[in-house]
Amino acid sequence: MITLSKNPGPIGVFDSGYGGLTILDGIRRLLPEYDYLYLGDNARAPYGPRSFDVVYEFTRQAVRFLFERGCQLVILGCNTASAKALRSIQQNDLPGWDSERRVLGVIRPTAEIIGSLTKSRHIGVLATEGTIKSESYNLEIKKLHPDVSVTGVACPFWVPLVEYNEADSPGADYFVKKCIDQLIEKDPAIDAVILGCTHYPILLPKIRKFMPTGINIIAQGDYVASSLKDYLQRHGDLEQRCSKGGVTHYLTTENPDTFREHAQIFLNEPIDVENVTLG
Ligand code: DGL
């Protein structure tokens, strides 16, 4: 059991690294009045190829850390963590830590909206190996829209392309095209594709270039943001415990200077970064 403050605190946004900044960006544009605390576990990223147990343990440590820093609500702004750790944290850990706090993920909001974005009822998911193998999108979408067929393809090179600032390079074309071609070959009837990894919106110009015309490309940031807005409206008590000052603070388990530099790929502003240790 840990002792946690009941005072209002920032909304926590967790990611394995930088990708969650695309989620934070969408949330802050819609809900600028709140304070945010972003945590990137850059020292242990990427999570995509890691096992279920390891992703659960790392994510558990991160959520607990954000709770100890005063967050009453934490968004797992990482598909891999949402796929492999969210359910376990909600069921196994939250009741013992503080049953009034909440942890939400990014898969459910995307699964909710997909029914209204496909006419053919055939959709594709591009994501990390971990997210695809977990079948989380398939399971969530089938619960909400049983008539929708879901086809997934893992894109293991897409995260490194973004992290190494190669998203706009000619070399990226090969890897982006390859995964899109694989997806369309698996199911040519697809008319909507979820970018099921937080890094992928950075590759959007290339994804648009190689995606056949007429296919709806779905980046999650805006949907996660509107789902959070709706959630806060429905949970007034929790909303009251989210502090409102419009301030965002950044934490990383790696070097703060490196984080600041890389974060510029995702954000367009100077940021204040602190190094922290999880464990
Ligand atoms: N942020 C992760 C996701 O959305 C991708 C990066 C990683 O593999 O850690 O799945």
Side-chain angles (χ1 to χ4, degrees), residues 54-67:
V54 170
V55 173
Y56 169 42
E57 182 51 30
F58 287 180
T59 307
R60 191 178 166 275
Q61 291 168 5
V63 171
R64 188 180 153 128
F65 186 91
L66 288 168
F67 280 172

Side-chain angles (χ1 to χ4, degrees), residues 190-201:
I190 283 170
D191 71 349
V193 173
I194 295 173
L195 304 185
C197 171
T198 51
H199 282 62
Y200 297 177

Side-chain angles (χ1 to χ4, degrees), residues 15-16 45-48 78-80 128 131 159 196-199:
D15 183 47
S16 55
Y47 280 13
C78 172
N79 284 273
T80 311
T128 66
T131 301
V159 167
C197 171
T198 51
H199 282 62

